[in-house]
Amino acid sequence: MTNELINTIFSRRSIRKYTAEPVGEQDIKTLLEAAMAAPSASNRKPWHFVVVTDRKKLDALADSHPYGKMLFEAPLCIAVCGDPTISQRFWVQDCSAATENLLLAAVALDLGAVWLGAYPSDERVAAIRKVLGVPNNIVPLNLISMGHPAEQKEPRTQYDEERVHREKW
Ligand SMILES: Cc1cc2nc3c(=O)[nH]c(=O)nc-3n(C[C@H](O)[C@H](O)[C@H](O)COP(=O)(O)O)c2cc1C
């Protein structure tokens, strides 16, 4: 497969080790533009993004998430949050689509990232709300831990013929 976007999709892997180099403001803007280019039901765009580069806040987020300890080393975290009052039915899907766009843009920018799930864990949602001052009507869906990669992983497809059904189940 030679297409550049297809290669980017296969190259997206969870990267949990980063160098100390900060992520540039232009890259952060590009990541957010990619996220907000995602499809959303009725184009309601029920998303908000909290960009965190402050070391103390990053450490507090690392403390707040049981499987997010790589944030202690990460120079950047973006919390993807949803507003269910904008889209009660589809905010999770819409914000997930935005998240995947963001992860793919990270690959294209030679950054490394990992999705850290928050919602529907009440505990994680509450802890993140507290650290970031997120209002009660907004739900943190995940934290994206990011930086310049200090580990490499092989591109792969995970293609599984058994999960494919043609014309009927
Ligand atoms: C909803 C969701 C929640 C996740 N939560 C975590 C997490 O808390 N900590 C973590 O290290 N990885 C987390 N991951 C990353 C997965 O572990 C990872 O995507 C999976 O092992 C496949 O590896 P790959 O991303 O390299 O393809 C999460 C991924 C998703 C989609």
Side-chain angles (χ1 to χ4, degrees):
M1 197 71 74
T2 54
N3 178 284
E4 208 176 325
L5 175 57
I6 299 294
N7 283 336
T8 301
I9 290 169
F10 296 151
S11 300
R12 186 223 49 79
R13 299 295 311 276
S14 291
I15 298 299
R16 301 180 175 88
K17 296 191 170 115
Y18 319 100
T19 69
E21 187 187 347
V23 177
E25 276 305 317
Q26 188 54 55
D27 281 356
I28 293 174
K29 179 79 185 294
T30 303
L31 292 166
L32 295 170
E33 284 175 338
M36 293 191 219
S40 75
S42 307
N43 205 16
R44 289 194 180 185
K45 304 178 287 276
W47 42 59
H48 286 263
F49 304 88
V50 185
V51 178
V52 182
T53 56
D54 177 75
R55 184 72 265 154
K56 279 196 188 120
K57 283 226 171 69
L58 289 165
D59 289 350
L61 288 173
D63 277 328
S64 80
H65 196 293
Y67 306 107
K69 302 311 168 197
M70 70 292 288
L71 283 166
F72 281 120
E73 310 296 328
L76 172 66
C77 176
I78 298 179
V80 180
C81 302
D83 185 342
T85 66
I86 294 177
S87 179
Q88 171 89 48
R89 291 176 76 197
F90 291 122
W91 73 267
V92 172
Q93 291 90 327
D94 295 351
C95 291
S96 296
T99 302
E100 180 67 2
N101 269 17
L102 199 155
L103 292 175
L104 293 175
V107 178
L109 295 170
D110 293 324
L111 298 168
V114 58
W115 177 326
L116 308 176
Y119 178 86
S121 160
D122 289 339
E123 252 179 37
R124 292 185 208 174
V125 164
I128 294 165
R129 274 204 185 110
K130 196 170 171 196
V131 172
L132 299 180
V134 174
N136 281 337
N137 58 314
I138 303 293
V139 189
L141 179 68
N142 59 50
L143 300 172
I144 307 301
S145 172
M146 303 185 66
H148 293 271
E151 64 172 336
Q152 302 294 330
K153 291 189 178 175
E154 284 301 306
R156 45 116 164 97
T157 73
Q158 303 192 101
Y159 181 78
D160 181 354
E161 192 77 42
E162 287 185 7
R163 299 296 180 92
V164 181
H165 311 271
R166 295 284 174 103
E167 317 301 347
K168 65 180 184 59
W169 185 268

